Structures are given as structure tokens and as C-alpha cells.
Amino acid sequence: MQRLNEQSNIALKRTVIVAIFAAVAVVLSMVESLIPLNMGVPGAKLGLANIMVLTCLYFLRARDAMMMVLLKTLLTAFIFGTFSSFLFSIMGALFSFVAMWFLLLIGRDKLSFIGISIVGGIAHNIGQLTAACIYFNTTKIFYYLPMLLIMGVLTGIAVGIAVRYLVPSLSKMSLFEGFLA
């Protein structure tokens, strides 16, 4: 009976963390939309919500982080977007998620948050270009890739720095006890 209660408690904690991270990711997306920042590349943005995706991947199981990514993407699409923006967001989010999850799986202790985040930023941009390729039915959109790769590196560094400070801070909170590998 006690073991069942412990399992229920952990499942409840996971659900709460996923909900909190998804809500913070949506708020970060909203804040980012209010910042008039010209990145010099059309469509490029900081991707502040990815701070929560990488942090969630660090603390929770992949399926929990995937749920957070889906919640974040659906909620931001409902708030901001259209079907095309949802398609671009979900493709970018899924590519980024898979890349970061794989890197954490094979090199959790060997790779830095900044390195993982850079790969996630690049994968996100490749996912969005893939969505554009499907939506516009042309591969010429990939001429845009070099500029987006540079932006993926720069935004990945910014997100990785944020995660590098966020994870140790959250690790001290009782909510995250038992979720560190």
C-alpha cells in the first residue's frame, strides 16, 4: 500500500511539473512576442520556450517532456496562430525534442547544456524548413538554411546559458527531489 502511494505521489509530481513547465513555456512565448527584437533573419526568434523543454528533458522521462512539448505547442498555436504556424511550430519542436533527447540519452554527463541547446536550435530550424518545404511544396526553401543555422547556434547558446543556471536552482527545490539521474 505504501509503495502504491509513493508511485501515485511521483506520478502526481510529474504531472504538476509538466503542467508548470508548459505554462511557463507559453508565458515565455508570449513575453518573447512582445519584445521588438530584430534578429536580422525573417522569422527568427530567441525561442525562450525551449528553456523549459530542455529543462524538462533533464528532469523527467522523455515521454513526460514530449507531453510538455505537445502542450506548449498546442497552447501557443491556439493563442497566436493559424494552422500553418502550428505546422511550423510542431515540426520544429519535434525535431528539436528528438535531437536534444538523443544527446541527453548518449551524453548526459559529457555534453554541456549549451552544446545540447545549440543542436536543439539547429534541429528546430531544420524542422521548420521541412514544414515550409511541405507547406509550399518546394525544396528551394532550404536556401534559407545557412542563415537559420547561424541563428540556431546563437539562440541555442542563449537558451543553453539560461538552462545552465536554471537546472541547479530547480534541483534545490523539494518538488524535483527524486527526478535527478
Side-chain angles (χ1 to χ4, degrees), residues 51-108:
I51 294 169
M52 302 317 298
V53 174
L54 183 52
T55 303
C56 193
L57 268 168
Y58 184 79
F59 282 109
L60 301 180
R61 301 174 301 187
R63 63 181 168 190
D64 299 322
M66 175 60 88
M67 179 59 68
M68 197 284 288
V69 167
L70 293 174
L71 280 172
K72 174 209 52 116
T73 305
L74 281 171
L75 291 170
T76 53
F78 285 138
I79 294 170
F80 297 114
T82 60
F83 173 73
S84 62
S85 68
F86 172 74
L87 178 66
F88 287 59
S89 294
I90 196 72
M91 289 289 281
L94 291 177
F95 273 56
S96 177
F97 172 82
V98 169
M100 292 190 302
W101 168 76
F102 180 72
L103 289 178
L104 279 171
L105 184 69
I106 64 168
R108 184 180 190 95

Side-chain angles (χ1 to χ4, degrees), residues 3-177:
R3 184 166 181 213
L4 185 61
N5 284 339
E6 288 176 14
Q7 289 177 344
S8 296
N9 192 21
I10 289 173
L12 179 61
K13 278 185 170 182
R14 278 193 184 109
T15 304
V16 168
I17 292 170
V18 166
I20 291 171
F21 280 15
V24 172
V26 170
V27 169
L28 288 173
S29 294
M30 294 172 76
V31 168
E32 186 174 338
S33 73
L34 298 174
I35 300 171
L37 183 63
N38 183 358
M39 303 285 286
V41 178
K45 59 182 189 174
L46 282 172
L48 295 177
N50 291 328
I51 294 169
M52 302 317 298
V53 174
L54 183 52
T55 303
C56 193
L57 268 168
Y58 184 79
F59 282 109
L60 301 180
R61 301 174 301 187
R63 63 181 168 190
D64 299 322
M66 175 60 88
M67 179 59 68
M68 197 284 288
V69 167
L70 293 174
L71 280 172
K72 174 209 52 116
T73 305
L74 281 171
L75 291 170
T76 53
F78 285 138
I79 294 170
F80 297 114
T82 60
F83 173 73
S84 62
S85 68
F86 172 74
L87 178 66
F88 287 59
S89 294
I90 196 72
M91 289 289 281
L94 291 177
F95 273 56
S96 177
F97 172 82
V98 169
M100 292 190 302
W101 168 76
F102 180 72
L103 289 178
L104 279 171
L105 184 69
I106 64 168
R108 184 180 190 95
D109 298 327
K110 299 173 189 155
L111 301 171
S112 71
F113 288 123
I114 295 173
I116 294 170
S117 179
I118 288 171
V119 172
I122 290 170
H124 190 275
N125 289 339
I126 291 171
Q128 288 194 321
L129 281 180
T130 303
C133 181
I134 294 167
Y135 188 77
F136 295 113
N137 197 24
T138 178
T139 57
K140 292 180 181 175
I141 200 84
F142 278 99
Y143 289 118
Y144 197 44
L145 184 60
M147 289 187 295
L148 286 179
L149 290 180
I150 293 169
M151 295 310 300
V153 170
L154 296 175
T155 59
I157 290 171
V159 167
I161 289 171
V163 173
R164 189 171 74 183
Y165 288 103
L166 183 60
V167 165
S169 297
L170 292 177
S171 297
K172 297 174 186 171
M173 297 176 68
S174 63
L175 180 63
F176 294 94
E177 286 178 9

